[in-house]
């Protein structure tokens, strides 16, 4: 069994000696005289090489970053060309573009004074100054720009908008369908099913009443409901929940504002107000419209 063990590490070079103490010492002395210096030099060279590689990588990365930044900026037209072409009419759009350029295309914070200087450079400040603060606030509310201690910075939404303005691309707008869906969502009303004591025969009659009438508009739907309610429950006063219950039992879509439909029908004098919020009284004009236009096919 060995009575002496020695391990020497020089950088990435490693030496392990194991054996009798005298023998290990002799080998170590020989290495010092002949080989250890060489090993030390090799280890040093390896460390220097690794350090050089790291430095080269750092330089290459810096060059890549600079090249990418240069490529990005070269894609944009000059601000002078953009302003002199007079293609930007909206002041909020002009602010976004100024901030985009001043911030190195959305990378840095831009002071208010720098934005004003851009306006003055292109002789636009006189026209813009009265609403300058208001337009800034609008952009912040629209989440296109954020206010920080030293100025303003564009959000991702603002950067995308700026690019769309600069390159003349169609900015993302709400489609008509989106606006309708948004309006429906904002005006969504909770309806409650009311107890009308409907029999099986009542439901069958309601389904028949609305059958083969696929072209009904929203006013027609509520008028037919009022007609049925008057003839079968001897009631002329109706509200959105009663209409909702009738339409559901008639298997008719309720994907519209019943309250608005009732209000629009009232404007045509098909209903009158009862004095109580949300209630409408079915008028003789409404009854005449139903019998003369909606039930004429029967």
């Amino acid at each position: 069994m060995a009575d002496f063990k020695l391990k020497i590490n020089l950088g990435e070079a490693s030496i392990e000696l194991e054996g009798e103490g005298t023998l290990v010492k002799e080998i170590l002395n020989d290495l010092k005289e002949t080989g250890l210096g060489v090993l030390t030099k090799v280890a040093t060279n390896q460390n220097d090489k690794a350090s050089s590689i790291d430095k080269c990588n750092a330089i290459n990365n810096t060059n890549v970053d600079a090249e990418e930044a240069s490529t990005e900026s070269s894609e944009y037209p000059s601000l002078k060309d953009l302003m002199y072409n007079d293609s930007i009419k909206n002041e909020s759009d002009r602010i976004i573009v100024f901030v985009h350029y001043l911030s190195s295309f959305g990378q840095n914070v831009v002071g208010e004074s720098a934005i004003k200087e851009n306006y003055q450079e292109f002789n636009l400040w006189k026209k813009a100054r009265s609403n300058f603060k208001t337009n800034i606030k609008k952009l912040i509310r629209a989440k296109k720009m954020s206010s920080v201690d030293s100025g303003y910075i564009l959000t991702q939404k603002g950067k995308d908008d700026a690019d769309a303005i600069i390159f003349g691309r169609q900015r993302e707008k709400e489609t008509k369908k989106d606006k309708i869906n948004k309006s429906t969502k904002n005006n969504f009303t909770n309806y409650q099913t009311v107890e009308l004591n409907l029999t099986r025969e009542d439901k069958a009659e309601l389904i028949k009443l609305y059958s083969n009438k696929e072209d009904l508009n929203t006013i027609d739907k509520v008028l037919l409901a009022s007609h049925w309610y008057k003839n079968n429950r001897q009631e002329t006063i109706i509200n959105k929940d009663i209409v909702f219950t009738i339409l559901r039992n008639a298997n008719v879509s309720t994907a519209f504002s019943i309250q608005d439909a009732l209000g629009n029908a009232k404007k045509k004098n098909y209903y009158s107000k009862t004095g109580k919020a949300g209630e409408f009284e079915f008028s003789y004009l409404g009854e005449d419209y139903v019998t003369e236009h909606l039930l004429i096919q029967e």
Side-chain angles (χ1 to χ4, degrees), residues 117-129:
E117 285 175 6
N118 262 180
Y119 266 105
Q120 291 165 350
E121 180 181 350
F122 296 104
N123 297 318
L124 297 168
W125 179 241
K126 185 176 180 180
K127 179 181 177 182
R129 64 182 177 184

Side-chain angles (χ1 to χ4, degrees), residues 6-17 27-48:
L6 179 65
K7 183 176 182 180
I8 302 172
N9 291 317
L10 293 171
E12 294 185 5
S14 178
I15 301 171
E16 291 189 18
L17 300 175
I27 295 173
L28 180 59
N29 288 331
D30 289 341
L31 284 172
K32 286 180 179 179
E33 294 175 1
T34 59
L36 193 57
V38 175
L39 288 173
T40 303
K41 184 177 180 180
V42 169
T44 302
N45 288 341
Q46 287 174 334
N47 288 335
D48 290 343

Side-chain angles (χ1 to χ4, degrees), residues 146-164:
S146 295
S147 175
V148 295
D149 292 339
S150 55
Y152 306 98
I153 190 167
L154 291 182
T155 63
Q156 188 57 53
K157 184 179 180 181
K159 294 176 190 177
D160 294 341
D161 219 22
D163 285 341

Side-chain angles (χ1 to χ4, degrees), residues 160-190:
D160 294 341
D161 219 22
D163 285 341
I165 297 166
I166 293 165
F167 295 109
R169 293 194 295 265
Q170 180 65 37
R171 275 180 282 180
E172 188 175 334
K173 294 182 179 179
E174 288 183 325
T175 63
K176 185 176 181 181
K177 183 177 179 181
D178 290 334
K179 290 180 179 179
I180 291 172
N181 289 338
K182 185 177 180 181
S183 176
T184 302
K185 182 177 179 181
N186 291 339
N187 295 316
F188 178 77
T189 305
N190 288 320

Side-chain angles (χ1 to χ4, degrees), residues 229-243:
Y229 193 58
K230 177 184 177 182
N231 290 344
N232 289 270
R233 293 296 184 270
Q234 289 71 52
E235 290 284 352
T236 58
I237 296 175
I238 205 163
N239 60 37
K240 61 181 177 58
D241 292 327
I242 295 173
V243 174

Side-chain angles (χ1 to χ4, degrees), residues 31 48 67 80 84 99 109 122 137 178 203 216 256:
L31 284 172
D48 290 343
E67 184 178 348
K80 183 179 291 187
Y84 287 165
V99 173
V109 176
F122 296 104
K137 290 177 182 177
D178 290 334
K203 294 181 181 180
L216 293 176
F256 65 96

